[in-house]
């Protein structure tokens, strides 16, 4: 992939498009904060914005108010920029039942959700691309303002493997486990790895292909990109970067501090419930939190880990969480499609 946006089209701007492109680019260069492009349906607004992206050469977030429109824009931008990183980022829940507890009847409804695996892959592909280069266009829904874990931890805990480097296979396997990859020698799928002698196959969380790392002693002997189903060799890269299997991955030192803070708040809340004779609430809180703390200590992950994101990312009370916007560099470009529909939705979700 190139690090420069290359618009691939047989068409040239026509009618009012050249003037609109020039005006928008000049506005961006002069530091204008907000600009509006008006046009009826079918007038080529997406093509106009593609020309603007090529002119300014900045990572771009295209914000849409629903998944269907976002998918359409994603398809169009992929056609315009086939050599660049164009990705799709929307909510990955097919179904979501929030956790609930009614003390009056001692009724507990456990949190339940179904994650769309393909959309989860696309989300990981988007964040990985943003941390790997500047030629990125991310088409997103309003879910981009929701917390997804620390950008710094996600980037710092990635593993870069270079052909010929010194690296012990056993340490590499432990490192993969630390960043939420699971060993599975039978069912090879996203966020898993398998080991066969001196060969380790890794299926990245955001990838459609896998990587095969072959060791010779304590040295990386060969790296190949393979078809995970057939094993067919697609490419032989010199260097690869494997990003964590979860956006909520946390280094061990930070995790220990976070667990201590979670336990401290848990004890305070427990005392508060017991002090007000809310024994059912205290019992439920204790049962759930003790289990979660044990899972965090043993595996570094727990179902519903987003409940503890403030401590895992070391935020102060009321401080906003890291979102997809934090994965962009400071000079990124934001395009809001159908802004009369999208902005009210953003304000509603934000509040």
């Amino acid at each position: 992939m190139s690090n420069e946006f290359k618009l691939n089209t047989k068409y040239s701007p026509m009618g009012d498009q050249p003037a609109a492109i020039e005006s928008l680019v000049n506005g961006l260069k002069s530091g204008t904060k907000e600009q509006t492009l008006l046009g009826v349906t079918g007038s080529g607004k997406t093509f106009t914005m593609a020309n603007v992206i090529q002119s300014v050469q900045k990572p771009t977030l295209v914000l849409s108010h629903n998944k269907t429109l976002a998918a359409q824009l994603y398809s169009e931008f992929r056609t315009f920029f086939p050599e660049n990183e164009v990705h799709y980022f929307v909510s990955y829940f097919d179904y979501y039942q929030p956790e609930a507890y009614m003390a009056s009847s001692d009724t507990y409804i456990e949190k339940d959700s179904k994650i769309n695996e393909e959309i989860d892959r696309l989300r990981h592909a988007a964040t990985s691309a943003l941390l790997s280069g500047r030629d990125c266009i991310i088409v997103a829904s309003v879910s981009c303002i929701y917390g997804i874990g620390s950008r710094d931890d996600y980037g710092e805990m990635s593993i870069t493997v270079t052909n010929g480097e010194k690296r012990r296979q056993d340490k590499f396997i432990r490192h993969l486990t630390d960043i939420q990859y699971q060993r599975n020698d039978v069912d090879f799928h996203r966020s898993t790895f398998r080991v066969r002698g001196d060969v380790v196959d890794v299926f990245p969380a955001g990838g459609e292909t896998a990587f095969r790392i072959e060791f010779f002693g304590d040295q990386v002997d060969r790296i190949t990109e393979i078809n995970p189903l057939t094993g067919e060799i697609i490419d032989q890269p010199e260097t690869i970067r494997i990003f964590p299997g979860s956006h909520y991955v946390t280094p061990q030192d930070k995790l220990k501090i976070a667990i201590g803070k979670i336990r401290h708040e848990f004890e305070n809340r427990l005392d508060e419930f017991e002090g007000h004779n809310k024994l059912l609430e205290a019992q439920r809180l204790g049962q759930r939190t003790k289990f979660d703390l044990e899972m965090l200590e043993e595996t570094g992950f727990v179902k519903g880990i987003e409940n503890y994101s403030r401590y895992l990312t070391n935020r102060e009370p009321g401080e906003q969480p890291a979102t997809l916007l934090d994965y962009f560099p400071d000079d990124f470009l934001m395009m809001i499609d159908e802004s009369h529909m999208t902005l009210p939705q953003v304000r509603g979700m934000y509040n």
Side-chain angles (χ1 to χ4, degrees):
M1 289 290 180
S2 166
N3 277 319
E4 181 180 333
F5 285 108
K6 293 181 180 178
L7 179 58
N8 180 32
T9 177
K10 61 183 180 180
Y11 302 108
S12 299
M14 301 292 287
D16 292 336
Q17 290 176 342
I21 294 166
E22 183 180 3
S23 177
L24 290 167
V25 170
N26 289 338
L28 288 169
K29 289 180 178 178
S30 65
T32 303
K33 187 177 179 182
E34 298 167 354
Q35 301 180 83
T36 303
L37 175 65
L38 300 175
V40 297
T41 301
S43 58
K45 295 187 294 296
T46 305
F47 179 62
T48 299
M49 299 315 294
N51 277 273
V52 172
I53 292 172
Q54 180 176 246
S55 296
V56 299
Q57 293 290 321
K58 291 179 183 291
T60 303
L61 171 64
V62 180
L63 188 57
S64 176
H65 63 88
N66 67 58
K67 290 182 179 182
T68 304
L69 185 56
Q72 178 184 331
L73 290 167
Y74 166 65
S75 177
E76 290 178 11
F77 277 112
R78 281 195 70 179
T79 302
F80 287 139
F81 296 100
E83 297 181 36
N84 301 108
E85 297 281 358
V86 181
H87 295 279
Y88 182 67
F89 190 97
V90 298
S91 174
Y92 57 14
F93 289 113
D94 285 337
Y95 166 78
Y96 187 85
Q97 165 65 55
E99 183 179 49
Y101 178 66
M102 291 174 284
S104 59
S105 59
D106 192 24
T107 302
Y108 172 66
I109 302 171
E110 188 176 2
K111 172 187 170 181
D112 187 25
S113 62
K114 182 181 178 184
I115 290 176
N116 186 303
E117 289 296 322
E118 177 61 13
I119 293 179
D120 186 40
R121 181 191 71 77
L122 292 168
R123 287 164 64 95
H124 276 282
T127 51
S128 300
L130 283 170
L131 298 184
S132 300
R134 286 182 56 84
D135 59 325
C136 294
I137 299 172
I138 311 296
V139 182
S141 67
V142 179
S143 65
C144 69
I145 69 172
Y146 298 158
I148 59 168
S150 167
R151 173 192 186 277
D152 293 336
D153 291 342
Y154 186 76
E156 289 170 7
M157 292 189 72
S158 63
I159 308 172
T160 301
V161 184
T162 303
N163 196 18
E165 71 175 356
K166 287 189 176 181
R167 183 185 289 271
R168 286 178 53 181
Q169 185 182 10
D170 57 343
K171 283 190 175 182
F172 177 61
I173 291 170
R174 284 200 297 273
H175 198 167
L176 285 172
T177 304
D178 288 342
I179 63 172
Q180 302 301 325
Y181 280 76
Q182 296 181 341
R183 179 169 178 171
N184 194 325
D185 294 338
V186 179
D187 180 19
F188 191 45
H189 55 273
R190 287 191 318 105
S191 301
T192 65
F193 66 94
R194 64 188 179 196
V195 183
R196 296 173 178 175
D198 293 333
V199 177
V200 180
D201 292 341
V202 183
F203 202 151
E208 294 183 278
T209 58
F211 293 113
R212 175 165 290 165
I213 298 99
E214 300 174 31
F215 291 85
F216 184 76
D218 291 341
Q219 184 174 350
V220 176
D221 191 45
R222 187 168 76 141
I223 302 171
T224 50
E225 183 180 355
I226 62 170
N227 182 311
L229 184 63
T230 65
E232 176 189 358
I233 295 176
I234 299 169
D235 194 13
Q236 296 190 42
E238 281 297 307
T239 300
I240 60 171
R241 190 176 181 187
I242 303 169
F243 285 91
S246 166
H247 285 114
Y248 293 98
V249 69
T250 307
Q252 280 295 327
D253 55 341
K254 289 186 179 180
L255 186 61
K256 288 179 181 177
I257 295 171
I259 288 173
K261 291 181 177 179
I262 294 168
R263 185 171 281 115
H264 178 70
E265 183 183 344
F266 160 62
E267 291 168 354
N268 288 340
R269 292 290 290 168
L270 203 61
D271 291 341
E272 184 180 328
F273 281 138
E274 291 173 348
H276 288 82
N277 202 33
K278 294 184 176 181
L279 302 182
L280 280 174
E281 290 90 333
Q283 187 271 338
R284 179 62 215 157
L285 179 70
Q287 182 181 4
R288 171 64 189 270
T289 310
K290 286 176 182 176
F291 173 78
D292 285 352
L293 285 170
E294 186 176 338
M295 289 296 292
L296 282 171
E297 287 174 331
E298 294 298 323
T299 68
F301 192 80
V302 65
K303 186 178 180 182
I305 194 170
E306 62 273 12
N307 294 337
Y308 306 106
S309 64
R310 181 168 79 83
Y311 293 115
L312 294 172
T313 55
N314 196 30
R315 301 196 316 272
E316 294 299 321
E319 185 180 347
Q320 70 180 43
T323 67
L324 177 69
L325 276 67
D326 294 289
Y327 284 70
F328 281 88
D330 292 338
D331 64 338
F332 80 98
L333 183 64
M334 180 186 289
M335 297 179 177
I336 303 176
D337 192 49
E338 304 277 4
S339 59
H340 63 290
M341 295 289 289
T342 307
L343 287 177
Q345 190 180 116
V346 172
R347 294 188 190 106
M349 295 298 105
Y350 181 77
N351 292 332

